[in-house]
Amino acid sequence: MRFKPLLSLTSKTIVLPQDNIDTDQIIPARFLTTTSRKGLGAFAFYDWRYDEDGAIREESPLDSHDPVERAILVAGSNFGCGSSREHAPWALADFGFQAVISSDIADIFKSNALKNGLLPVEVDQKTHQRLLNNPGEELTIDLEKQTVRLSDGWQTVFEVEPFARHCLLEGVDPLGHLMNQMSLIEQFEVERA
Amino acid sequence: MKPQSLFDKLWSRHVVVPETREAPAVLYIDLHLIHEVTSPQAFAALKERKLPVRRPALTIATLDHSTPTTPPDGNGALAYATPEAAAQVQTLIRNCRKHDIRLLDLDDPQRGIVHVIGPELGLTQPGKTVVCGDSHTSTHGAFGALAFGIGTTEVGHVLATQCVLQRKPKSMLVNFNGETPQGVTAKDMALAMIAEIGADGGQGYAIEFAGGAVRALSMEGRMTLCNMSIEAGARFGMVAPDETTFDWVKDRQYAPRGPAWAAALKAWRALPSDYGAAFDKEIDIDASRLRPMITYGVSPDAAAPVNGVSPAPRSDEEKRAAEYMRIEADRPFSDIPVDRVFIGSCTNSRLSDLREAATVMRGRKVRAGVTALVVPGSESVRRAAEAENLHLVFIEAGAEWRRPGCSMCIAMNGDQGAPGELVISTSNRNFVGRQGKGVRTVLASPATAAASAIEGRIADPRPYLQETREMADAV
């Protein structure tokens, strides 16, 4: 899939401070019977947003979500742990998030997010704590410079896998990159046969 | 030459294009397993780009997550949880037909949970790379394979190219030194390890499990251990292959035969880590001190010995978990009532797991008011268990004996607990709502789950196992 290039993003945050937010929280398994990747935002954090009777949980910070205003999710450590379901970043991206920030993001989730225009940003403990303490703060995430800038001018750098960064910046599809290696793949198969 | 680890060897033998600063390695995939939940969007992506499945013979499909575990009705109709679940199953059937992929269909005598059938058919072999759109793919690492879970986009990559883009993770060696005491299983080892290193302790690592207690495990036990790697955050878990591995693989349907078997053995014997191989991190666990384990929180690292008491919460996080679980501090676990018992999942649904549970349940009854579900991992496991009359042990004890599938592990096929219920489960995740909205999950081994079914409370299985041993000795 191709995405529009993501250069930088300025938005307010939504904070979910819990550690170990697993992909079953991000999208409960009962919504995984779909055969499409579209429209999953309706199920993002479903059981956090709605109670047993389907009524909106007023206390949830997600309830006041406005995709234009708040496209950055700040979460506790080990975000996205658990299952490999790509439905998790599909749901978050469809819900309106363009980036997720934590001190530590689970491997498979990170890999899946990068393929779906949802930027996973891992920051140091100090920055993480600041972000957790200030929900709704406006930030600028600059993918090109790999920086997160807070409203008071505090700035920190983050790591992002260089190939994924290239794909996001240029709108390149990783499958195209793999297809371009086809002659080497064929040669590999011949040599080991 | 620099000593290489098992992981180094598996990795380097599958590199098509080496990793650079700019791009991950192109890694060749020998075995691609697919199921109904994480594949439809991958096939759709192929269709969108008008790409064929490049090596259909290297992909095998099964139906497990959305499938009912109750038998078909008189007209042969299955009780799907929703029409969407039925449609998802039909989508995989259609995609497999269209692309000439072998499918273990609903009526196939070899169908089962994806991580049970791969090894069972002899498809999973030492030295292979194995991927699946499923985080528990680490299970196959038990054979000395490089096995890891991938996302749906990557499922599409494998279908189209037979490769994935992947950077080499760091390596970790987890040594289980010494011998486990009686009644301590691979599941207990896994939970003890996760409690020790944390739910994110393995993040960014490929784990090799080694040491006397790992060598002593059966293949089923090694699969349970590798299966749970991801619950410590590690995408890869593996055990060096040895005679136990070779004996298990030999003569299975897809195993090499004749001269090919001899050649394979020679190659497989060269796989274990060289003496002096370097790891980025090493952990030592004294296996002789392990006890049967259970979880008391909502993350798999909240695990403790079954005969202990619940610890006091150390953070807001743990406080919330204790509130959800309704387990206050200093409560003996043996005091906690159980509503439902689930024995199954890709972690613990193989024949040895069912034997372990049956050993405890034989001649005993599931406590009144407790519902117990036993779900074999595959049709082959079901047949083998029934040939030993294990199903009768469960049925006579008052448990339900079901058809194979993921069932209550992921609770998307209709098998689930009711809000507020406490479920003791041999599966792999105790996340909030994992087994149904508001359900409280306690993870345990099959023996512990079975003992708890009998007592109606969380129970230490060792007295039951001891009694069975004494009875056997008396005979």
Side-chain angles (χ1 to χ4, degrees):
Chain A
M1 283 216 10
R2 281 183 178 77
F3 297 93
K4 61 175 195 290
L6 178 75
L7 302 170
S8 85
L9 162 69
T10 299
S11 181
K12 290 181 179 165
T13 63
I14 284 186
V15 173
L16 301 174
Q18 294 86 342
D19 291 337
N20 300 320
I21 295 176
D22 58 81
T23 55
D24 277 88
Q25 308 311 311
I26 299 171
I27 179 165
R30 63 184 185 278
F31 300 119
L32 303 186
T33 50
T34 177
T35 55
S36 167
R37 64 165 81 197
K38 297 205 175 83
L40 297 183
F43 311 124
F45 284 106
Y46 193 91
D47 293 338
W48 292 31
R49 291 161 59 208
Y50 303 99
D51 68 16
E52 276 84 33
D53 305 320
I56 289 173
R57 291 185 197 269
E58 297 295 344
E59 74 279 14
S60 168
L62 293 155
D63 182 39
S64 59
H65 179 68
D66 175 344
V68 185
E69 286 277 306
R70 301 187 191 197
I72 300 172
L73 174 62
V74 174
S77 74
N78 199 24
F79 183 79
C81 60
S83 100
S84 63
R85 64 190 67 161
E86 201 161 316
H87 309 68
W90 293 338
L92 293 180
D94 189 51
F95 192 71
F97 289 121
Q98 295 179 57
V100 52
I101 305 181
S102 175
S103 55
D104 158 22
I105 299 176
D107 288 340
I108 305 180
F109 177 86
K110 197 160 45 186
S111 160
N112 285 338
L114 285 165
K115 294 179 180 71
N116 289 283
L118 178 71
L119 185 64
V121 178
E122 288 173 313
V123 294
D124 59 274
Q125 294 287 351
K126 197 174 164 190
T127 308
H128 189 224
Q129 200 52 54
R130 269 207 47 166
L131 293 170
L132 290 175
N133 292 345
N134 294 291
E137 184 172 11
E138 188 169 273
L139 316 177
T140 298
I141 301 174
D142 188 320
L143 178 58
E144 202 154 21
K145 297 197 187 103
Q146 296 178 229
T147 56
V148 177
R149 202 166 57 248
L150 279 59
S151 48
D152 63 356
W154 171 278
Q155 187 167 301
T156 186
V157 293
F158 65 91
E159 292 289 318
V160 58
E161 198 281 301
F163 180 73
R165 176 173 171 272
H166 166 75
C167 289
L168 285 168
L169 286 175
E170 308 293 332
V172 169
D173 175 12
L175 178 55
H177 171 81
L178 266 175
M179 297 295 292
N180 287 339
Q181 322 276 333
M182 199 49 81
S183 62
L184 291 169
I185 298 171
E186 281 166 0
Q187 190 187 330
F188 179 88
E189 288 176 323
V190 171
E191 280 170 7
R192 73 198 300 238
Chain B
M1 211 172 107
K2 199 174 140 212
Q4 282 194 309
S5 66
L6 163 66
F7 173 56
D8 293 331
K9 294 177 196 183
L10 293 170
W11 183 271
S12 65
R13 284 165 204 191
H14 292 89
V15 171
V16 177
V17 182
E19 178 174 338
T20 61
R21 157 104 192 110
E22 287 74 32
V26 175
L27 204 64
Y28 195 79
I29 301 305
D30 298 318
L31 174 63
H32 183 209
L33 301 163
I34 58 173
H35 60 71
E36 71 273 27
V37 178
T38 56
S39 64
Q41 298 87 348
F43 283 107
L46 245 63
K47 189 177 173 190
E48 207 174 284
R49 300 191 50 153
K50 300 188 175 62
L51 289 169
V53 174
R54 188 160 168 272
R55 295 274 176 255
L58 299 183
T59 293
I60 192 150
T62 189
L63 296 160
D64 53 5
H65 283 65
S66 298
T67 52
T69 55
T70 44
D73 67 14
N75 301 319
L78 284 165
Y80 284 100
T82 58
E84 289 77 29
Q88 193 175 55
V89 163
Q90 288 308 315
T91 302
L92 182 59
I93 294 171
R94 257 198 329 275
N95 280 326
C96 288
R97 268 192 207 133
K98 181 176 165 193
H99 294 283
D100 205 17
I101 290 168
R102 181 172 175 205
L103 168 71
L104 304 177
D105 209 339
L106 292 167
D107 56 357
D108 194 300
Q110 293 176 323
R111 187 186 66 85
I113 303 175
V114 67
H115 309 308
V116 176
I117 57 112
E120 231 169 45
L121 294 172
L123 286 161
T124 305
Q125 294 169 15
K128 277 192 179 183
T129 41
V130 183
V131 295
C132 174
D134 194 293
S135 62
H136 292 109
T137 308
S138 55
T139 310
H140 306 263
F143 290 79
L146 187 68
F148 55 107
I150 57 176
T152 295
T153 299
E154 291 172 306
V155 170
H157 293 177
V158 179
L159 291 172
T161 68
Q162 205 54 39
C163 291
V164 290
L165 290 163
Q166 181 70 39
R167 285 193 187 271
K168 190 178 179 186
K170 291 178 284 185
S171 61
M172 187 190 296
L173 182 66
V174 175
N175 280 309
F176 284 92
N177 300 309
E179 249 179 77
T180 49
Q182 297 270 21
V184 172
T185 68
K187 182 62 160 288
D188 304 310
M189 291 165 68
L191 289 173
M193 188 261 312
I194 299 162
E196 169 124 358
I197 71 171
D200 58 355
Q203 209 174 102
Y205 288 94
I207 300 180
E208 178 178 345
F209 297 103
V214 172
R215 292 265 75 89
L217 286 175
S218 66
M219 282 319 296
E220 287 91 340
R222 294 177 190 184
M223 283 188 252
T224 301
L225 186 58
C226 290
N227 172 280
M228 296 286 285
S229 307
I230 187 66
E231 307 319 328
R235 233 171 142 174
F236 307 77
M238 65 199 80
V239 173
D242 59 12
E243 297 308 314
T244 305
T245 322
F246 309 145
D247 288 347
W248 210 91
V249 175
K250 196 172 194 310
D251 296 329
R252 290 189 183 261
Q253 189 181 343
Y254 288 92
R257 285 172 202 283
W261 174 255
L265 265 189
K266 190 163 173 249
W268 295 347
R269 288 206 162 102
L271 285 173
S273 294
D274 300 332
Y275 181 78
F279 292 85
D280 295 303
K281 196 170 182 178
E282 290 194 34
I283 307 270
D284 282 287
I285 295 172
D286 181 354
S288 68
R289 296 172 65 94
L290 297 180
R291 282 167 286 172
M293 300 286 284
I294 53 129
T295 61
Y296 55 85
V298 297
S299 175
D301 55 3
V306 67
N307 58 350
V309 299
S310 53
R314 292 162 302 180
S315 63
D316 287 353
E317 202 73 36
E318 292 184 359
K319 216 171 140 191
R320 271 195 298 273
E323 277 164 19
Y324 180 81
M325 291 301 292
R326 293 190 230 146
I327 299 178
E328 62 277 18
D330 295 324
R331 186 162 173 198
F333 293 127
S334 59
D335 211 28
I336 298 171
V338 166
D339 300 300
R340 205 178 282 265
V341 179
F342 172 60
I343 296 171
S345 87
C346 60
T347 312
N348 281 126
S349 65
R350 298 177 182 84
L351 186 60
S352 64
D353 299 314
L354 302 184
R355 283 178 181 156
E356 184 186 311
T359 301
V360 173
M361 283 183 145
R362 184 168 281 117
R364 300 191 172 94
K365 293 279 181 207
V366 172
R367 186 89 174 185
V370 175
T371 312
L373 203 63
V374 185
V375 184
S378 69
E379 290 291 352
S380 303
V381 169
R382 182 162 80 105
R383 277 192 307 277
E386 289 182 358
E388 294 180 16
N389 289 329
L390 297 183
H391 65 310
L392 298 180
V393 174
F394 299 127
I395 292 166
E396 281 162 14
E400 284 184 61
W401 175 244
R402 292 286 186 89
R403 304 291 171 102
C406 301
S407 184
M408 271 189 73
C409 174
I410 188 163
M412 61 181 290
N413 74 331
D415 298 346
Q416 59 183 7
E421 279 189 344
L422 190 132
V423 179
I424 189 156
S425 177
T426 67
S427 56
N428 38 58
R429 290 183 174 139
N430 53 353
F431 300 156
V432 169
R434 170 86 177 180
Q435 297 192 296
K437 260 194 224 177
V439 171
R440 303 174 291 146
T441 299
V442 169
L443 302 176
S445 72
T448 302
S452 304
I454 289 155
E455 296 196 12
R457 289 169 184 279
I458 294 175
D460 191 330
R462 289 174 294 185
Y464 294 94
L465 297 168
Q466 177 70 25
E467 202 182 306
T468 306
R469 268 195 306 278
E470 282 164 7
M471 274 159 59
D473 289 346
V475 175

